[in-house]
Amino acid sequence: FPSHDKILLLIMGLFFIVPIKNGTINKNLNHENLYNIILEYDVKYPDIAFAQALLESGNFTSKLCKTQNNLFGMKMPYRRETTAIGKNKSGYAKYSSWHDSVEDYLLFQKFVMRKKNMTRDEYMSYIGKHYAADKKYLTKIKQKIKEYKLLFI
């Protein structure tokens, strides 16, 4: 897991050292902060994850993103660990924060790759077949990656 900064808490005369994720926990959702937390969580193929978040959230403008902190259009899972705290009527997951949505995407990846560590091409093929119904999904993902390539340096 990612490196952590620590914060010292004083509670009822006892000292606790609590890890926080390099200060991103309270940062606003923007392109740079999203990409940085994707890197902090060590998400595989971070440029693909970033592009998916932008596409699925309508560049952070979708109702799902704004009201449920759901950046990836994730449904509430039934067979894997999740950071979701509930779901809406349509079954889309709800998160306490946008970074919990990123962490859930990491859990999704780990579940998908639990038997086989996919290559980049295999992962792209998987999300093209199983993630979205849009036949142009991979083309749109590749376009977003090109559009934001300077961020990935």
Side-chain angles (χ1 to χ4, degrees):
F1 264 25
S3 64
H4 290 80
D5 292 334
K6 294 180 176 67
I7 187 168
L8 184 65
L9 296 178
L10 177 61
I11 302 172
M12 297 173 64
L14 301 171
F15 290 98
F16 294 93
I17 297 176
V18 180
I20 59 170
K21 294 175 183 73
N22 294 335
T24 55
I25 220 160
N26 292 317
K27 288 193 177 177
N28 293 330
L29 177 58
N30 62 39
H31 296 117
E32 186 178 351
N33 289 341
L34 171 60
Y35 191 66
N36 286 336
I37 201 163
I38 287 171
L39 293 176
E40 283 182 36
Y41 277 113
D42 203 21
V43 171
K44 194 155 184 143
Y45 311 121
D47 57 335
I48 295 172
F50 178 83
Q52 283 187 274
L54 293 186
L55 195 59
E56 295 288 342
S57 72
N59 204 26
F60 316 137
T61 63
S62 73
K63 184 177 180 182
L64 199 59
C65 176
K66 288 181 174 182
T67 63
Q68 297 192 190
N69 295 308
N70 189 331
L71 299 178
F72 296 93
M74 300 291 272
K75 294 268 190 162
M76 183 67 138
Y78 298 105
R79 298 184 314 178
R80 68 167 177 82
E81 186 180 354
T82 185
T83 58
I85 58 169
K87 63 182 178 176
N88 69 11
K89 292 176 188 171
S90 301
Y92 286 97
K94 180 177 185 172
Y95 302 96
S96 296
S97 65
W98 65 267
H99 53 88
D100 285 352
S101 178
V102 175
E103 186 175 359
D104 198 44
Y105 184 87
L106 174 64
L107 294 171
F108 159 78
Q109 276 191 335
K110 287 180 177 182
F111 183 80
V112 166
M113 295 188 214
R114 68 194 178 281
K115 294 178 183 166
K116 181 182 187 249
N117 197 6
M118 296 179 194
T119 66
R120 182 182 180 81
D121 288 342
E122 289 170 333
Y123 187 66
M124 283 288 270
S125 178
Y126 179 87
I127 63 172
K129 291 176 186 169
H130 303 284
Y131 202 90
D134 184 351
K135 298 213 181 288
K136 295 181 182 179
Y137 192 70
L138 289 183
T139 302
K140 292 175 181 178
I141 293 294
K142 290 173 186 175
Q143 181 56 43
K144 286 286 181 204
I145 291 170
K146 270 187 198 172
E147 191 178 333
Y148 288 90
K149 68 182 174 191
L150 293 178
L151 185 62
F152 308 137
I153 295 172

